[in-house]
Amino acid sequence: VNDEELKKRIAEELALERARRDSEAQKRRLFGRLLERERISSNEHLTRVILRERAATEEERQKAQRLAKQVEEKERELKKHDAYYKEQLARLEER
């Protein structure tokens, strides 16, 4: 009877240990899946942020180009006015 009880007890302990290991393995798999989902979500978020920043940077670049062109046009216009007024001043001084 002692042998039988010992075998039964060992079998129960082995079964409990196996169940514990299975439970731990299941927890690790679940945790791994959760981590993978979080990684994917973070990567998607980061990608969206990068794309938004790139778009904003491109918009800023285009705005800077437009403003630079406006400044150049204004400078040309001012030079024309300056030349015209110098010409008018020279005519007035001649009279």
Side-chain angles (χ1 to χ4, degrees), residues 18-38:
R18 199 172 303 121
R20 187 189 64 76
R21 278 195 231 140
D22 289 347
S23 175
E24 288 297 319
Q26 186 177 10
K27 286 178 187 175
R28 281 193 300 276
R29 285 191 300 273
L30 176 61
F31 187 67
R33 285 194 301 270
L34 290 173
L35 283 176
E36 181 64 14
R37 281 188 207 142
E38 183 64 29

Side-chain angles (χ1 to χ4, degrees), residues 30-88:
L30 176 61
F31 187 67
R33 285 194 301 270
L34 290 173
L35 283 176
E36 181 64 14
R37 281 188 207 142
E38 183 64 29
R39 184 188 66 75
I40 289 169
S41 176
S42 293
N43 284 344
E44 288 172 352
H45 176 71
L46 184 59
T47 299
R48 285 191 303 271
V49 168
I50 289 170
L51 290 174
R52 255 194 320 264
E53 285 298 316
R54 283 183 184 164
T57 301
E58 178 62 19
E59 191 175 312
E60 286 282 326
R61 186 186 67 76
Q62 289 175 357
K63 183 179 179 182
Q65 283 181 336
R66 282 193 308 274
L67 291 174
K69 283 182 181 180
Q70 288 176 357
V71 167
E72 288 173 6
E73 289 174 20
K74 196 66 163 174
E75 285 177 351
R76 280 195 301 273
E77 189 178 312
L78 289 172
K79 284 180 184 178
K80 284 181 187 177
H81 286 286
D82 189 47
Y84 173 76
Y85 292 132
K86 283 182 182 177
E87 182 184 318
Q88 294 298 314

